[in-house]
Amino acid sequence: MRAARRERSVFLGLLPWPERVQVARALRTETVGGLVLLAAAVVALVWANTPWSGAYEQIRDFHFGIPALGLDLSVGHWTADGLLAVFFLVAGIELKRELVVGELRTPATAALPVIAAVCGMAVPAALYLATTSVGGGSGAGWAVPMATDIAFALAVLAVLSTHLPSALRAFLLTLAVVDDLGAILVIAIFFTADLNPAALIGALAGLVVFYLLQRYRVHGWWWYAPLGVVIWALMYNGGVHATVAGVAMGLILRATRDPGEHASPGERTEHLLRPVSAGVAVPLFALFAAGVSVSTGALGEVFTRPEPLGVVLGLVVGKTVGIFAGTYLAARFTRARLNPDLAWADVLALAVLAGIGFTVALLIGELAFPDPADAEHIKAAVLFGSLIAAVVAALLVKRSNKIYRRLWEAETLDEDADGVPDIYQQTGHGSGQGAGGEA
């Protein structure tokens, strides 16, 4: 019993095998999606700065939909309000899994990543407000530098060909999950306008029906897909950002398996939608959100106007200081012992990497600054802040890659070819029977 307690107190130690299988499956898809996202962002930037930029704007601003249902949106808004609902649905499922069977299921294991993530949201927001207050700017964008883009961060790691240990990747994923929750709460509370009580009541009724279907174990996508679309449309017409509907449904989906069940509804839905989210929804949003004009004058305004400067400082400095300080203090408070194979410099590198705040930062930037001219400066700031964070993190991560490679090789070695790395059989972590099955 005392040995088990001591094992749980190791921070960034070897993950339990079932948790590692789940994390690896999620990160594999997110990494591929991150590379597609990176390509989409580059295409958007190049396209918006060529003689054909007019065609880019025409496509982005082209409207279609069903006006009678209040759904006549531009292509850009369809990607932000529609496709990102899929992204937040997957985020809701991840959060539910973490709360029920993952790192956040008990206060002892949840304390450290939650404190780190909350500090990583609070410090950037405070730094943004301090910068705009000193410079006489608008405080409307305080939430822009709060969120971490896990897909973009993983894409940077993939480009670097690093061998980051699974515990570091899992910690980054948990930070991003809590970040997503914080972002959706901010969107739901602070970025709602022209509320339509009737539509919101309808959306709430739809969520109740969704819950009852889950509660009584009703199977079949033909029940949930149409209901989900109706809930999304009602939420949009109710004045609350439609992505909130995605998170709500993700949290309702059951994350535990019934006896004899191969996968829970949450696992099945995540398995189906994560590739759509990472490979289609988020890259398309980036394609129509990241197309900003880059010029010498625009670059100068990013670092001279208080609002974009606050975003850059929030992402690069605020995220780093917030996550690192929060992690260090939480580890001291919980008496967690850092994995002896790692150093606090590795946590610092992870904190810098978390400053890549692409997707959700762009979304909040559009909501916080409805004026397209102001939004362009904020988008440019998000891009440059994320780029700076990526470059600095790359230098820090590559510096320790020899150590990471050694740890990665040790935790993946499987000499007896039984599908479970040998280190789990040596250390008593166990194979987690049935954990390797496809969800």
Side-chain angles (χ1 to χ4, degrees):
M1 189 69 176
R2 299 170 82 181
R5 191 178 300 118
R6 193 159 47 245
E7 181 67 30
R8 286 196 299 271
S9 70
V10 175
F11 173 49
L12 297 179
L14 188 67
L15 290 177
W17 178 241
E19 180 71 10
R20 181 179 159 184
V21 170
Q22 193 74 19
V23 168
R25 186 182 296 125
L27 295 183
R28 191 181 306 117
T29 305
E30 291 290 350
T31 300
V32 175
L35 294 173
V36 179
L37 169 63
L38 186 59
V42 171
V43 169
L45 280 171
V46 172
W47 194 358
N49 289 276
T50 64
W52 301 280
S53 59
Y56 174 84
E57 294 173 358
Q58 284 182 335
I59 295 173
R60 182 191 62 195
D61 299 333
F62 177 75
H63 277 247
F64 68 96
I66 309 174
L69 298 179
L71 297 175
D72 184 22
L73 309 177
S74 68
V75 171
H77 279 111
W78 273 114
T79 59
D81 292 272
L83 291 181
L84 279 194
V86 178
F87 166 79
F88 278 107
L89 171 60
V90 174
I93 294 172
E94 286 178 341
L95 179 61
K96 179 70 173 287
R97 185 184 67 81
E98 290 288 337
L99 289 170
V100 175
V101 296
E103 288 293 304
L104 305 180
R105 68 186 180 277
T106 62
T109 57
L112 203 152
V114 168
I115 292 172
V118 170
C119 291
M121 292 185 283
V123 175
L127 189 55
Y128 173 91
L129 290 173
T131 303
T132 54
S133 176
V134 171
S138 168
W142 61 273
V144 174
M146 287 175 58
T148 294
D149 193 314
I150 182 66
F152 216 126
L154 291 172
V156 171
L157 295 176
V159 170
L160 293 174
S161 298
T162 60
H163 294 79
L164 209 63
S166 57
L168 283 170
R169 292 176 184 265
F171 186 63
L172 182 62
L173 177 61
T174 304
L175 287 176
V177 168
V178 179
D179 266 2
D180 288 339
L181 174 62
I184 204 65
L185 289 174
V186 166
I187 291 172
I189 296 171
F190 296 99
F191 295 104
T192 57
D194 302 323
L195 294 180
N196 182 337
L200 288 178
I201 291 172
L204 181 60
L207 289 172
V208 170
V209 173
F210 197 97
Y211 168 77
L212 291 174
L213 291 174
Q214 283 290 286
R215 177 72 177 79
Y216 291 103
R217 305 302 193 262
V218 176
H219 298 282
W221 64 267
W222 50 87
W223 292 100
Y224 295 96
L227 179 59
V229 172
V230 170
I231 293 171
W232 172 85
L234 288 170
M235 191 75 75
Y236 176 83
N237 281 284
V240 176
H241 200 273
T243 52
V244 175
V247 171
M249 288 184 282
L251 289 172
I252 290 173
L253 283 171
R254 181 164 51 85
T256 55
R257 304 177 185 181
D258 285 339
E261 199 172 33
H262 178 63
S264 69
E267 289 175 310
R268 290 195 296 270
T269 305
E270 183 182 14
H271 179 64
L272 290 172
L273 292 185
R274 184 180 288 279
V276 177
S277 169
V280 179
V282 173
L284 280 178
F285 168 75
L287 180 63
F288 293 108
V292 297
S293 177
V294 179
S295 63
T296 304
L299 286 175
E301 290 191 342
V302 167
F303 297 99
T304 56
R305 293 184 56 171
E307 296 88 355
L309 179 60
V311 170
V312 173
L313 291 177
L315 288 172
V316 178
V317 180
K319 283 300 249 186
T320 302
V321 172
I323 291 176
F324 182 80
T327 303
Y328 182 79
L329 292 174
R332 292 293 298 271
F333 178 75
T334 58
R335 298 183 180 180
R337 180 170 58 91
L338 182 66
N339 183 345
D341 291 318
L342 298 172
W344 283 105
D346 301 306
V347 180
L348 178 65
L350 209 65
V352 176
L353 188 65
I356 300 174
F358 191 76
T359 305
V360 178
L362 289 176
L363 174 62
I364 295 179
E366 290 185 345
L367 297 174
F369 295 93
D371 187 323
D374 293 334
E376 287 286 298
H377 294 118
I378 297 301
K379 288 180 180 181
V382 170
L383 294 175
F384 284 109
S386 298
L387 178 62
I388 294 170
V391 171
V392 175
L395 295 174
L396 294 175
V397 169
K398 289 298 283 185
R399 180 173 169 269
S400 302
N401 198 43
K402 287 185 178 179
I403 297 174
Y404 298 154
R405 181 186 292 272
R406 176 174 58 80
L407 293 175
W408 180 83
E409 289 175 347
E411 68 180 31
T412 56
L413 181 66
D414 184 18
E415 289 187 336
D416 56 5
D418 64 349
V420 178
D422 298 338
I423 193 170
Y424 286 94
Q425 296 158 338
Q426 295 166 2
T427 60
H429 280 75
S431 62
Q433 295 179 9
E438 191 67 33

